[in-house]
Amino acid sequence: MKKRVLSGIRATGKLHLGNYLGAVKGMLALQDDPGYETLFMVADLHSINSPYDPKTFQESVRSVVIDYLSAGLDPEKSTIFVQSHVPEHIELSYLFSSVLTVARMLHLPTYKDKLKEDAENANMAMLYYPVLMASDILIYKANEVPVGDDQLPHLEISREVARKMNEKFGTNFPEPTQFKTQGHSVPSLTGEGKMSKSVEGSFIALTDELETIRKKLASVPTDSGKGEKVPTEGGVATLLKFVELFMGAEKRQEYENAYVREGIRYSELKNALAESIYKELEPIQNKRKELESSPAFVNQVIKDGAEKAGAIAKETLVEVKEKMGLI
Ligand code: AMP
């Protein structure tokens, strides 16, 4: 039997290189592996735990579907759907919430950070997020989850839920694991922390033009270009990571050698890097333009996806309700 894969991206703004390298690239690799059945969703229900605009929300949801298709997700090979179109996710998540303690959820780093930074918006949906995520994954009995490292604490909750449900009720959920890509942790352009939609100046969007990419890279903080030890953090480390991801490990080694010898000229590095990044993004941007003028096709993908995902989800939900004595 084929192994299953589930992953999702929230509809909270433009996709960036972190999403692309940490999640989408993994989705693409698994979609093309005949050993896997792949399901990819737009996580709309996970998007409403932060302030958002209901008037433009449908556009944002659709935009992620278009990003998926532009990047190469293929509805002939993968089930592409919108999370809320399969409401069984929510029902199963409630059943799962009975095997998790509030104390465990309060301990998760994302919720703790939110409480510290923005307590007013640390809502129940935010606390509940990993419970729903466990349901997103386990409702398809997915084994592999292509996500970035920031999702690891949440994935751990999914594994705990699977174990507890199996022990308590005799279900047969697999313990899902991360499918790790080369870009499982993409650093911020600021040189501090990870690339994130919510941090202005930290990201390159998939829709950025060459000039914009140049400008963004120009603002990455650097040093004199020369020293005894190659920096492992800050802007220089970020640039070297991007060189590795877009120009290859050999090129990174060349720049590292230059750093401890003759020195790096950052203007040259940044220009070459901007071109390499744009070379990868340009076909995605062209495909996006095509898809934007094919709304009927996009609608059909969303409709078919909900049907296919819904059929699997319904089956799992009935099975769990039976085991839990609800039917
Ligand atoms: P989100 O935008 O939070 O819904 O994230 C969508 C996917 O992108 C998740 O799998 C994240 O783990 C991944 N992701 C987001 N930021 C990064 C990053 N800086 N590096 C690697 N993966 C990331």
Side-chain angles (χ1 to χ4, degrees):
M1 217 174 92
K2 285 188 179 196
K3 284 185 167 185
R4 285 231 181 93
V5 176
L6 181 283
S7 187
I9 293 185
R10 288 176 304 152
T12 45
K14 283 182 177 168
L15 257 63
H16 55 68
L17 289 184
N19 304 133
Y20 177 64
L21 298 163
V24 179
K25 279 233 161 167
M27 298 179 186
L28 289 168
L30 290 166
Q31 157 182 278
D32 291 326
D33 185 329
Y36 291 95
E37 179 185 352
T38 45
L39 296 112
F40 302 121
M41 63 175 197
V42 180
D44 59 345
L45 295 170
H46 289 302
S47 315
I48 62 170
N49 59 22
S50 315
Y52 74 103
D53 182 359
K55 288 197 188 74
T56 55
F57 191 55
Q58 276 311 303
E59 241 171 82
S60 310
V61 170
R62 210 180 157 76
S63 176
V64 180
V65 176
I66 295 178
D67 277 324
Y68 278 165
L69 296 168
S70 313
L73 290 191
D74 179 352
E76 299 283 324
K77 296 180 186 162
S78 294
T79 301
I80 299 168
F81 68 104
V82 178
Q83 183 187 24
S84 69
H85 296 184
V86 186
E88 286 80 5
H89 287 220
I90 308 171
E91 193 172 344
L92 183 65
S93 76
Y94 180 73
L95 304 181
F96 283 174
S97 74
S98 69
V99 299
L100 287 166
T101 65
V102 177
R104 175 69 178 96
M105 305 314 286
L106 286 170
H107 253 96
L108 285 165
T110 21
Y111 190 74
K112 275 202 206 153
D113 290 350
K114 188 76 186 174
L115 260 185
K116 246 190 263 158
E117 288 158 18
D118 186 14
E120 232 171 88
N121 288 311
N123 51 33
M124 271 303 295
M126 177 76 73
L127 184 64
Y128 195 76
Y129 170 24
V131 190
L132 182 55
M133 178 168 152
S135 172
D136 299 332
I137 298 168
L138 297 176
I139 206 160
Y140 302 105
K141 301 194 178 166
N143 313 81
E144 307 249 3
V145 188
V147 283
D149 287 359
D150 56 316
Q151 290 298 329
L152 286 174
H154 299 154
L155 201 52
E156 203 42 52
I157 294 288
S158 301
R159 296 166 58 78
E160 275 176 41
V161 168
R163 274 199 301 274
K164 286 188 174 156
M165 289 296 296
N166 295 348
E167 268 167 31
K168 259 188 146 163
F169 300 110
T171 48
N172 65 344
F173 289 117
E175 282 186 41
T177 51
Q178 177 194 32
F179 178 79
K180 212 171 180 168
T181 61
Q182 211 193 349
H184 54 91
S185 179
V186 177
S188 162
L189 296 182
T190 60
E192 268 175 50
K194 64 160 196 145
M195 185 174 283
S196 159
K197 274 175 216 171
S198 53
V199 181
E200 205 44 58
S202 83
F203 64 85
I204 291 175
L206 292 193
T207 48
D208 282 346
E209 297 283 348
L210 179 58
E211 263 325 292
T212 313
I213 299 172
R214 280 213 178 97
K215 267 192 213 137
K216 287 186 175 177
L217 287 182
S219 69
V220 177
T222 51
D223 55 14
S224 67
K226 207 172 170 169
E228 277 176 21
K229 240 179 116 243
V230 178
T232 52
E233 51 188 35
V236 176
T238 295
L239 289 173
L240 291 171
K241 184 77 198 166
F242 282 128
V243 166
E244 181 187 326
L245 290 167
F246 288 94
M247 301 168 82
E250 253 177 56
K251 201 75 200 165
R252 178 186 178 132
Q253 193 57 55
E254 274 175 35
Y255 279 118
E256 286 194 355
N257 293 345
Y259 192 90
V260 292
R261 290 182 200 152
E262 71 276 15
I264 296 180
R265 283 179 49 229
Y266 288 115
S267 57
E268 181 267 332
L269 180 153
K270 286 179 173 183
N271 260 325
L273 183 58
E275 289 192 7
S276 295
I277 294 175
Y278 185 63
K279 205 169 147 209
E280 184 143 353
L281 298 189
E282 196 185 13
I284 301 177
Q285 295 175 4
N286 290 340
K287 186 84 205 280
R288 181 173 239 287
K289 280 182 204 132
E290 259 175 53
L291 287 162
E292 277 167 351
S293 53
S294 329
F297 171 71
V298 177
N299 290 344
Q300 195 61 45
V301 168
I302 295 174
K303 190 167 169 276
D304 292 348
E307 266 170 36
K308 278 196 239 163
I312 306 173
K314 280 187 181 72
E315 231 176 81
T316 308
L317 186 60
V318 168
E319 195 184 312
V320 175
K321 284 169 97 173
E322 273 171 5
K323 299 257 179 191
M324 288 183 79
L326 287 157
I327 40 178

